[in-house]
Amino acid sequence: MNSSHTNINNQPNQLQIAMHEKGVGILPKRIIVVRHGESQGNSDPGAYSVTPDHKIPLTPQGVAQARLAGSKIRHLIASESSSPDWRVYFYASPYARTRSTLRELARSFSKKRVIGVREECRIREQDFGNFQVQERMNAIKETRQRFGRFFYRFPEGESAADVFDRVSSFLESLWRDIDMNRLNHNPSNDLNLIIVSHGLASRVFLMRWFRWTVEQFELLNNFGNSEFRVMQLGSGGEYSLAVHHTDEELLEWGLSPDMIADQKWRANGNKCPSNDQSPRYLEAFFDLLPDSDNEGVDTEDKTEQNEFFECV
């Protein structure tokens, strides 16, 4: 945990209070994205050739990993909440391995802490195309590496860009759930959303939330089994990975220095232009933008104007 933000963690967020007074849904204190525990497919890729992907179960080690992750998540919520009456709400992929991970995570929470759970098909695993013959999949994944992970579409399956579209739809529903208080959350209690999903879908979720570019997405490393990322509300009303996680963790996960700087701003700054409006982000798209309208005249035009006046 990033201890430099302890004061932020234990104080009610002013934006949350203001939104509640205006009748707007209260923002969750945290959104925690969890990858499933080790599956039979992780330990033996040949399993995908005889078992449908959605039926692949957890291994005994995966069960233990998920149970440990639940204990860790409960500890961080309990130790950093501004209210002792915090609550959790789960969203989970319908795959067998995520459903099992959900059950093991939930062992760490009493009934009064869990206000709801929803199976959510839009955060399921990327579709790799029905039964997966290992030799063929090895060749396909080599091609994907050359083509690019985001846009490569698996034969009879999906690309990460396809996953992006359905995750975007899920996010719209998530915001409506929050705004309309469909989660039936008492605003006096800290709310924590826990999303149990898969490696690529989780990375795409973060990409969509923080408006990372395709190039930035390609930098990201996969979550380990039962690893989780904590998006926590900062003092200015923005969610950030830098409230709970250290710079070293963010670097290990593949975030560039610019991406980490953006996360730090989100943790401490007031609401204002975000990643897609920052100077660093703009420079990635444009070679040079003039500082003022007067500087927008082409260099060739300026030269011609100077030559004209010199002749006169």
Side-chain angles (χ1 to χ4, degrees):
M1 173 195 164
N2 195 337
S3 59
S4 64
H5 300 293
T6 302
N7 292 336
I8 293 175
N9 298 339
N10 295 322
Q11 294 178 358
N13 188 281
Q14 296 303 312
L15 179 65
Q16 289 180 297
I17 296 172
M19 290 180 70
H20 176 54
E21 290 175 348
K22 294 178 180 179
V24 180
I26 195 79
L27 293 175
K29 179 73 173 284
R30 300 172 192 84
I31 300 174
I32 303 173
V33 186
V34 190
R35 186 191 176 196
H36 60 79
E38 183 189 70
S39 71
Q40 190 179 65
N42 295 140
S43 62
D44 176 18
Y48 294 111
S49 65
V50 295
T51 306
D53 194 3
H54 65 279
K55 293 184 178 180
I56 294 285
L58 292 182
T59 63
Q61 181 176 345
V63 171
Q65 289 172 338
R67 192 172 299 183
L68 178 60
S71 176
K72 290 180 178 179
I73 291 172
R74 179 192 164 87
H75 175 73
L76 82 87
I77 292 174
S79 62
E80 299 177 19
S81 288
S82 56
S83 164
D85 295 322
W86 51 267
R87 296 291 186 269
V88 296
Y89 190 100
F90 291 96
Y91 293 89
S93 158
Y95 280 34
R97 54 189 180 272
T98 41
R99 290 284 298 269
S100 295
T101 299
L102 170 66
R103 283 193 291 271
E104 298 306 319
L105 290 173
R107 291 180 186 276
S108 294
F109 301 93
S110 63
K111 287 184 178 180
K112 80 167 190 174
R113 299 293 186 185
V114 181
I115 62 173
V117 60
R118 184 178 305 170
E119 181 176 284
E120 179 50 73
C121 286
R122 289 171 293 182
I123 58 173
R124 67 187 185 276
E125 176 65 288
Q126 179 182 8
D127 187 348
F128 296 108
N130 303 322
F131 290 108
Q132 303 164 34
V133 179
Q134 186 174 354
E135 294 76 13
R136 180 170 179 260
M137 288 301 296
N138 289 340
I140 288 173
K141 288 183 178 179
E142 287 181 8
T143 304
R144 178 183 65 168
Q145 198 65 27
R146 297 197 307 271
F147 191 90
R149 289 185 299 171
F150 189 78
F151 291 112
Y152 181 81
R153 178 176 286 114
F154 282 82
E156 302 175 349
E158 291 181 302
S159 66
D162 296 323
V163 178
F164 181 95
D165 291 341
R166 55 178 164 86
V167 166
S168 296
S169 172
F170 165 65
L171 268 178
E172 292 173 4
S173 299
L174 181 68
W175 276 116
R176 285 195 296 271
D177 287 345
I178 295 169
D179 189 42
M180 301 174 68
N181 196 22
R182 291 173 177 168
L183 308 182
N184 297 316
H185 166 238
N186 184 335
S188 64
N189 303 331
D190 280 348
L191 175 61
N192 302 272
L193 302 185
I194 302 177
I195 299 172
V196 187
S197 186
H198 306 263
L200 183 130
S202 296
R203 300 198 306 277
V204 168
F205 178 90
L206 296 176
M207 173 194 185
R208 176 64 179 81
W209 187 284
F210 293 119
R211 303 189 185 113
W212 290 336
T213 65
V214 172
E215 183 178 357
Q216 289 171 324
F217 169 84
E218 297 280 4
L219 298 173
L220 301 176
N221 297 317
N222 199 10
F223 289 37
N225 291 121
S226 287
E227 276 192 353
F228 55 87
R229 309 287 188 259
V230 181
M231 299 164 51
Q232 186 155 318
L233 208 56
S235 58
E238 290 283 350
Y239 286 96
S240 171
L241 296 168
V243 175
H244 180 78
H245 299 292
T246 64
D247 290 6
E248 290 74 19
E249 287 177 304
L250 300 181
L251 282 169
E252 182 181 346
W253 298 339
L255 275 72
S256 68
D258 284 351
M259 295 165 74
I260 294 174
D262 178 65
Q263 292 298 315
K264 287 185 171 181
W265 168 80
R266 289 172 179 272
N268 299 294
N270 295 321
K271 291 182 72 68
C272 62
S274 56
N275 181 54
D276 58 332
Q277 297 170 300
S278 69
R280 290 191 185 95
Y281 188 90
L282 294 174
E283 288 168 4
F285 287 88
F286 306 108
D287 292 333
L288 178 65
L289 289 176
D291 292 331
S292 69
D293 289 341
N294 293 333
E295 297 177 32
V297 181
D298 289 341
T299 304
E300 292 182 1
D301 291 342
K302 286 185 177 180
T303 303
E304 292 175 0
Q305 290 174 5
N306 292 336
E307 290 177 349
F308 172 78
F309 284 114
E310 287 174 0
C311 291
V312 171

